[in-house]
Amino acid sequence: MIPFSPPRIDQKTIDEVIDTLKSGWITTGPKTKRLEKELAAYCGAPAVLCVNSATAGLEVMLRWFGVGPGDEVIVPAYTYAASANVVVHCGARPVFVDVGDDFNISLQAVAAAITPRTKAVMPVDIGGWPCDYDAINDLVRENAYRFEAGTDEQKQLGRILVLADSAHSVGARYKGRRTGSLCDVAVFSFHAVKNLTTAEGGAVALNLPAPFSNEDLYKLLCVKTLHGQSKDALAKIQKGNWKYDIVEAGYKCNMTDIAAAMGLVELARYDSDTLVRRRYIVEAYASALAKYDWAELPLFDRDGRTSSFHLFALRVRGVSEEQRDAILQKIFDRDVSVNVHFIPVPRMSFYRSLGYDADDYPTTMDNFSREISLPVFYDITDEQIATVVEAVVASVEEVRGRS
Ligand SMILES: *Cc1c(COP(=O)(O)O)cnc(C)c1O
């Protein structure tokens, strides 16, 4: 069976994790701090905070901005549920909007969804394809006059917060800059299936405009993500430094140094190796599938944007959802693992129970109903790539008929 996206674990990763275990310091410490600095330098963000998941990072930032009951956060209908769940955790209402042909949030739909209750918008870089950040940043500025600030942070920003779910897009580029430096805040995921993994983990890239100090906010968030404790564990074990205070009822979502050790190895070879390899794989699929009329290929390089090649989101032209499901089954029967990104969030039973209806998002439904994600992982061989293509072509033609 060809797997979908196993993590890349080699001797380097193992050695770095073992080094951490032997160092005597396994939770947040020197390696997490180093990973934060290296990520900030890599993506061009003034400050980066590592956490134990992207979900935790998104939620902490919504709470920092004072998002709560009565507030609205605009989220694409086409994303993983975590993007919307965090809004629900805060007691606010996710306002789903449709996406465009490129899978990413529709700017017209965002513009139409803005109300005086809108506190944040959450663009998601689906498959690693960056959203149109210039347009999103312009849109929130143009609508600043309608923004009703409640908290001090909201007054300081004076407009809707752009909080990107960049779970897929570490290293993606937009007009010469990387995600993490394109809007107020971007949150990366280092979950096991993502491009750059720490098993579980995430990072919050801070890029807020003046009068905010991203450095001060970073320090505040270190406290917020560690019980609201005034000193971290490493500082507390320094000789005689035992006293601490709890300044608020904080959260507990810090990254461990064991996780950061994996991240340091991954980041050091990310541009020179990981992204090169991922580009090779997606280009191999694209060139093998381009000759089929039914194959609608995803975007990787266009209009000054370059993907991080997280997913190969193929769409099959002219099939129903039932036919797509039948194609998926036939691909699996050929021992190839595929996936669908994503089942629209408003279609999930929890969100349906809140009254959302996926049929209100026609492009989301169209993308979803025809989508098949092909395996993309570092160690996939040319032979396996050929097997995947054969399985896809044969399965599509069996279900759809030859064209
Ligand atoms: C994986 C993923 C998340 C959640 O990331 P975690 O690190 O697992 O919390 C959020 N949004 C999207 C789009 C994702 O794919």
Short mmCIF file of all heavy atoms in Angstrom, two decimals, residues 198-226:
data_model
loop_
_atom_site.label_atom_id
_atom_site.label_comp_id
_atom_site.label_asym_id
_atom_site.label_seq_id
_atom_site.Cartn_x
_atom_site.Cartn_y
_atom_site.Cartn_z
N THR A 198 6.80 18.34 13.94
CA THR A 198 7.40 18.09 15.25
C THR A 198 6.55 17.03 15.98
O THR A 198 6.47 17.04 17.19
CB THR A 198 7.44 19.39 16.10
OG1 THR A 198 6.09 19.84 16.30
CG2 THR A 198 8.21 20.50 15.41
N ALA A 199 5.87 16.17 15.24
CA ALA A 199 4.87 15.19 15.72
C ALA A 199 3.55 15.91 15.99
O ALA A 199 2.57 15.72 15.30
CB ALA A 199 5.34 14.39 16.93
N GLU A 200 3.52 16.72 17.04
CA GLU A 200 2.45 17.68 17.26
C GLU A 200 3.15 19.01 17.52
O GLU A 200 4.19 19.05 18.18
CB GLU A 200 1.60 17.33 18.49
CG GLU A 200 0.82 16.03 18.38
CD GLU A 200 -0.42 16.10 17.50
OE1 GLU A 200 -0.75 17.20 16.98
OE2 GLU A 200 -1.07 15.05 17.32
N GLY A 201 2.58 20.08 17.04
CA GLY A 201 3.19 21.38 17.30
C GLY A 201 2.65 22.43 16.37
O GLY A 201 1.91 22.14 15.43
N GLY A 202 3.01 23.65 16.67
CA GLY A 202 2.59 24.76 15.84
C GLY A 202 3.40 25.99 16.20
O GLY A 202 4.17 25.97 17.17
N ALA A 203 3.22 27.04 15.41
CA ALA A 203 3.93 28.28 15.70
C ALA A 203 3.07 29.47 15.29
O ALA A 203 2.34 29.40 14.30
CB ALA A 203 5.27 28.32 14.97
N VAL A 204 3.18 30.53 16.09
CA VAL A 204 2.42 31.75 15.85
C VAL A 204 3.42 32.81 15.39
O VAL A 204 4.31 33.20 16.15
CB VAL A 204 1.74 32.22 17.16
CG1 VAL A 204 0.94 33.49 16.93
CG2 VAL A 204 0.84 31.11 17.73
N ALA A 205 3.28 33.25 14.14
CA ALA A 205 4.17 34.29 13.62
C ALA A 205 3.48 35.64 13.79
O ALA A 205 2.38 35.86 13.29
CB ALA A 205 4.46 34.03 12.15
N LEU A 206 4.14 36.52 14.55
CA LEU A 206 3.56 37.83 14.90
C LEU A 206 4.11 38.90 13.99
O LEU A 206 5.32 39.04 13.83
CB LEU A 206 3.89 38.17 16.35
CG LEU A 206 3.42 37.17 17.40
CD1 LEU A 206 4.03 37.51 18.76
CD2 LEU A 206 1.90 37.15 17.47
N ASN A 207 3.20 39.67 13.43
CA ASN A 207 3.60 40.66 12.44
C ASN A 207 2.65 41.85 12.53
O ASN A 207 2.22 42.39 11.52
CB ASN A 207 3.52 39.99 11.07
CG ASN A 207 4.19 40.76 9.99
OD1 ASN A 207 5.24 41.35 10.19
ND2 ASN A 207 3.55 40.80 8.83
N LEU A 208 2.33 42.22 13.78
CA LEU A 208 1.33 43.28 13.99
C LEU A 208 1.93 44.65 13.72
O LEU A 208 3.11 44.88 13.98
CB LEU A 208 0.77 43.21 15.41
CG LEU A 208 -0.22 42.05 15.60
CD1 LEU A 208 -0.21 41.56 17.02
CD2 LEU A 208 -1.63 42.47 15.17
N PRO A 209 1.11 45.57 13.22
CA PRO A 209 1.62 46.92 12.93
C PRO A 209 1.77 47.75 14.22
O PRO A 209 1.20 47.40 15.25
CB PRO A 209 0.52 47.51 12.04
CG PRO A 209 -0.74 46.83 12.48
CD PRO A 209 -0.33 45.43 12.87
N ALA A 210 2.53 48.84 14.14
CA ALA A 210 2.61 49.79 15.26
C ALA A 210 1.19 50.26 15.58
O ALA A 210 0.37 50.33 14.67
CB ALA A 210 3.50 50.97 14.86
N PRO A 211 0.86 50.56 16.82
CA PRO A 211 1.74 50.69 17.98
C PRO A 211 2.05 49.39 18.71
O PRO A 211 2.64 49.43 19.79
CB PRO A 211 0.93 51.63 18.88
CG PRO A 211 -0.49 51.24 18.62
CD PRO A 211 -0.54 50.87 17.15
N PHE A 212 1.68 48.23 18.16
CA PHE A 212 2.00 46.98 18.85
C PHE A 212 3.51 46.73 18.81
O PHE A 212 4.17 47.05 17.81
CB PHE A 212 1.30 45.81 18.17
CG PHE A 212 -0.19 45.81 18.35
CD1 PHE A 212 -1.03 46.27 17.35
CD2 PHE A 212 -0.76 45.37 19.54
CE1 PHE A 212 -2.40 46.27 17.51
CE2 PHE A 212 -2.14 45.37 19.71
CZ PHE A 212 -2.96 45.83 18.70
N SER A 213 4.02 46.15 19.87
CA SER A 213 5.39 45.65 19.85
C SER A 213 5.29 44.13 19.80
O SER A 213 4.79 43.49 20.72
CB SER A 213 6.15 46.07 21.12
OG SER A 213 7.21 45.15 21.36
N ASN A 214 5.74 43.55 18.68
CA ASN A 214 5.65 42.10 18.54
C ASN A 214 6.52 41.38 19.56
O ASN A 214 6.20 40.29 20.00
CB ASN A 214 6.00 41.69 17.11
CG ASN A 214 4.93 42.14 16.14
OD1 ASN A 214 3.82 41.63 16.13
ND2 ASN A 214 5.25 43.15 15.33
N GLU A 215 7.62 42.05 19.94
CA GLU A 215 8.53 41.48 20.94
C GLU A 215 7.83 41.42 22.30
O GLU A 215 7.88 40.39 22.99
CB GLU A 215 9.80 42.33 21.00
CG GLU A 215 10.98 41.67 21.65
CD GLU A 215 11.23 40.24 21.16
OE1 GLU A 215 11.30 39.99 19.93
OE2 GLU A 215 11.33 39.36 22.04
N ASP A 216 7.15 42.51 22.67
CA ASP A 216 6.41 42.53 23.94
C ASP A 216 5.26 41.52 23.91
O ASP A 216 4.99 40.84 24.91
CB ASP A 216 5.85 43.92 24.23
CG ASP A 216 6.96 44.92 24.58
OD1 ASP A 216 8.12 44.47 24.78
OD2 ASP A 216 6.66 46.13 24.65
N LEU A 217 4.59 41.46 22.76
CA LEU A 217 3.47 40.51 22.65
C LEU A 217 3.99 39.08 22.77
O LEU A 217 3.36 38.24 23.42
CB LEU A 217 2.73 40.72 21.31
CG LEU A 217 1.59 39.74 21.03
CD1 LEU A 217 0.55 39.75 22.16
CD2 LEU A 217 0.91 40.08 19.69
N TYR A 218 5.14 38.81 22.18
CA TYR A 218 5.74 37.47 22.30
C TYR A 218 5.92 37.11 23.78
O TYR A 218 5.56 36.02 24.22
CB TYR A 218 7.08 37.43 21.55
CG TYR A 218 7.92 36.24 21.92
CD1 TYR A 218 7.67 34.99 21.35
CD2 TYR A 218 8.93 36.33 22.89
CE1 TYR A 218 8.41 33.88 21.72
CE2 TYR A 218 9.67 35.23 23.26
CZ TYR A 218 9.41 34.01 22.68
OH TYR A 218 10.13 32.91 23.05
N LYS A 219 6.47 38.06 24.54
CA LYS A 219 6.71 37.80 25.98
C LYS A 219 5.39 37.55 26.72
O LYS A 219 5.29 36.65 27.55
CB LYS A 219 7.46 38.97 26.61
CG LYS A 219 8.92 39.02 26.17
CD LYS A 219 9.65 40.19 26.83
CE LYS A 219 11.01 40.39 26.15
NZ LYS A 219 11.33 41.83 26.02
N LEU A 220 4.38 38.35 26.38
CA LEU A 220 3.06 38.19 27.00
C LEU A 220 2.49 36.80 26.67
O LEU A 220 1.92 36.12 27.54
CB LEU A 220 2.13 39.29 26.47
CG LEU A 220 0.70 39.30 27.00
CD1 LEU A 220 0.68 39.89 28.40
CD2 LEU A 220 -0.21 40.11 26.08
N LEU A 221 2.68 36.38 25.42
CA LEU A 221 2.13 35.09 24.99
C LEU A 221 2.86 33.92 25.63
O LEU A 221 2.26 32.87 25.88
CB LEU A 221 2.17 34.97 23.46
CG LEU A 221 1.22 35.91 22.70
CD1 LEU A 221 1.52 35.88 21.21
CD2 LEU A 221 -0.24 35.56 22.95
N CYS A 222 4.15 34.09 25.92
CA CYS A 222 4.89 33.04 26.65
C CYS A 222 4.22 32.78 27.99
O CYS A 222 4.08 31.63 28.43
CB CYS A 222 6.35 33.44 26.87
SG CYS A 222 7.36 33.36 25.39
N VAL A 223 3.79 33.85 28.64
CA VAL A 223 3.12 33.73 29.93
C VAL A 223 1.72 33.13 29.75
O VAL A 223 1.32 32.21 30.46
CB VAL A 223 3.05 35.12 30.63
CG1 VAL A 223 2.22 35.05 31.91
CG2 VAL A 223 4.46 35.64 30.91
N LYS A 224 0.99 33.65 28.75
CA LYS A 224 -0.38 33.18 28.48
C LYS A 224 -0.45 31.70 28.15
O LYS A 224 -1.46 31.05 28.42
CB LYS A 224 -0.94 33.92 27.26
CG LYS A 224 -1.73 35.16 27.60
CD LYS A 224 -2.49 35.66 26.39
CE LYS A 224 -3.13 36.99 26.66
NZ LYS A 224 -4.06 36.98 27.80
N THR A 225 0.60 31.17 27.50
CA THR A 225 0.57 29.78 27.07
C THR A 225 1.23 28.85 28.09
O THR A 225 1.44 27.68 27.82
CB THR A 225 1.26 29.62 25.69
OG1 THR A 225 2.57 30.18 25.76
CG2 THR A 225 0.47 30.32 24.61
N LEU A 226 1.57 29.39 29.26
CA LEU A 226 2.17 28.59 30.33
C LEU A 226 1.55 28.97 31.66
O LEU A 226 2.20 29.53 32.54
CB LEU A 226 3.70 28.79 30.35
CG LEU A 226 4.44 27.71 31.14
CD1 LEU A 226 4.73 26.49 30.28
CD2 LEU A 226 5.73 28.25 31.73
#
